[in-house]
């Protein structure tokens, strides 16, 4: 649980950076060997261009960092579940796992983990710490409520 906590905090930090930059508050980090090798957040154009989504940007940066499009020993941590195109990108990059949700000090590590290599993805996966993805979405919505108006429904 401590690893999930650490990297969920990193993904949420990236989401906060997005909010401060008037971008979409979704953050993602790619982890390899216990270290963050890439981080990204949704750019404003993500509302009309799926290639600007945090997950795809982070995977691209990670692939450049390791010199390979095969990231089987990496894990993706993201504050929200990827859109269908980003889910396809996760499979394309063949990462080992994706963890969705957010971390909140009051609630602990939150989200659900998907085993990309094993084929378990999206709603077919268990929750982390007994907290479901719907509650993660509610947590993020609550966190960014009253911060700015993004024109994006996070729930």
């Amino acid at each position: 649980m401590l690893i999930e906590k650490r990297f969920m905090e990193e993904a949420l930090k990236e989401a906060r950076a997005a909010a401060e930059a008037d971008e979409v508050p979704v953050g993602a980090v790619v982890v390899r060997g216990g270290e963050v090798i890439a981080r990204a957040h949704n750019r404003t154009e993500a509302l009309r261009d799926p290639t600007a989504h945090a997950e795809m940007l982070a995977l691209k940066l990670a692939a450049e960092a390791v010199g390979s499009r095969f990231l089987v020993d990496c894990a993706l941590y993201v504050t929200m579940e990827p859109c269908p195109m980003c889910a396809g990108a996760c499979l394309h990059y063949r990462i080992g796992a994706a963890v969705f949700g957010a971390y909140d000090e009051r609630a602990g590590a939150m989200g659900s983990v998907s085993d990309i290599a094993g084929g378990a993805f999206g709603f077919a996966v268990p929750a982390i710490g007994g907290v479901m993805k719907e509650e993660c979405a509610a947590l993020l919505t609550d966190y960014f409520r009253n911060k700015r108006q993004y024109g994006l429904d996070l729930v």
Side-chain angles (χ1 to χ4, degrees):
M1 195 63 68
L2 292 178
I3 288 181
E4 283 84 0
K5 172 183 175 179
R6 175 183 164 200
F7 295 125
M8 281 298 183
E9 285 177 325
E10 290 294 317
L12 187 55
K13 185 187 301 181
E14 194 64 27
R16 288 176 179 141
E20 292 169 3
D22 286 326
E23 303 285 8
V24 183
V26 178
V29 296
V30 180
V31 176
R32 186 183 200 190
E35 297 298 325
V36 174
I37 61 169
R39 60 174 65 244
H41 58 256
N42 279 30
R43 299 193 302 260
T44 301
E45 60 264 30
L47 295 175
R48 59 184 181 276
D49 178 10
T51 63
H53 287 197
E55 305 91 313
M56 295 178 77
L57 290 168
L59 290 170
K60 179 178 181 291
L61 293 172
E64 292 172 354
V66 303
S68 172
R69 297 176 76 85
F70 299 98
L71 304 176
V72 292
D73 55 349
C74 295
L76 170 72
Y77 288 78
V78 61
T79 55
M80 292 291 286
E81 185 176 359
C83 71
M85 182 172 284
C86 291
C90 294
L91 293 171
H92 175 71
Y93 280 91
R94 300 184 187 182
I95 63 173
V99 182
F100 312 118
Y103 176 76
D104 179 75
E105 195 66 45
R106 297 163 298 167
M110 304 183 69
S112 60
V113 62
S114 292
D115 179 1
I116 302 299
F121 193 83
F123 290 102
V125 297
I128 294 174
V131 183
M132 300 306 293
K133 282 180 290 194
E134 291 78 10
E135 291 170 296
C136 296
L139 172 70
L140 279 178
T141 301
D142 182 62
Y143 182 85
F144 289 105
R145 184 180 291 125
N146 302 323
K147 300 287 184 181
R148 289 184 174 86
Q149 186 60 258
Y150 293 95
L152 179 68
D153 186 4
L154 292 178
V155 178

